[in-house]
Amino acid sequence: MLGETYELITPQFRFFSEHVSDQPPVSVINCQGEGYEFKRVLEWEQGFTGKKIEVLDRHMGELVLDVGDTQETYQFINAPTVIGNLIFGERYCEP
């Protein structure tokens, strides 16, 4: 559902996510805690070849983590995910 939001507030952190687009599917995430904040844009693209499904994040899975007091920013990049042997054989997941 477009515009669907989720919010969680605890004494330790605040988490917010929203589904912002259906075609292509895009979601955004923001989490803030004492001394840190992380942000992520999820824009998935998937392909089915008959034997396997490949899921690729168009933003290459970039996750930005800001550590407040140190002024450091970290970026993480996820690899594409492949789920194979969906119909026959033993299923596997890469990476």
Side-chain angles (χ1 to χ4, degrees):
M1 177 183 291
L2 187 59
E4 183 177 359
T5 62
Y6 177 77
E7 185 176 8
L8 175 65
I9 299 174
T10 71
Q12 293 81 24
F13 65 89
R14 295 182 337 191
F15 177 86
F16 178 79
S17 66
E18 182 174 5
H19 184 70
V20 294
S21 175
D22 279 333
Q23 293 300 325
V26 178
S27 296
V28 294
I29 297 171
N30 185 290
C31 183
Q32 298 173 342
E34 192 171 320
Y36 71 91
E37 176 180 15
F38 78 81
K39 302 173 243 184
R40 176 128 191 234
V41 176
L42 303 166
E43 186 175 352
W44 299 105
E45 181 178 298
Q46 61 189 18
F48 179 64
T49 64
K51 293 183 178 181
K52 64 182 179 180
I53 291 178
E54 184 171 353
V55 180
L56 175 66
D57 188 345
R58 290 185 182 177
H59 292 277
M60 294 303 293
E62 183 177 290
L63 169 71
V64 178
L65 174 63
D66 293 320
V67 182
D69 294 340
T70 61
Q71 299 298 317
E72 295 180 6
T73 298
Y74 300 92
Q75 293 184 343
F76 303 90
I77 297 177
N78 293 339
T81 301
V82 176
I83 302 171
N85 292 338
L86 291 173
I87 300 171
F88 297 106
E90 186 176 338
R91 287 188 191 101
Y92 65 90
C93 183
E94 297 174 354

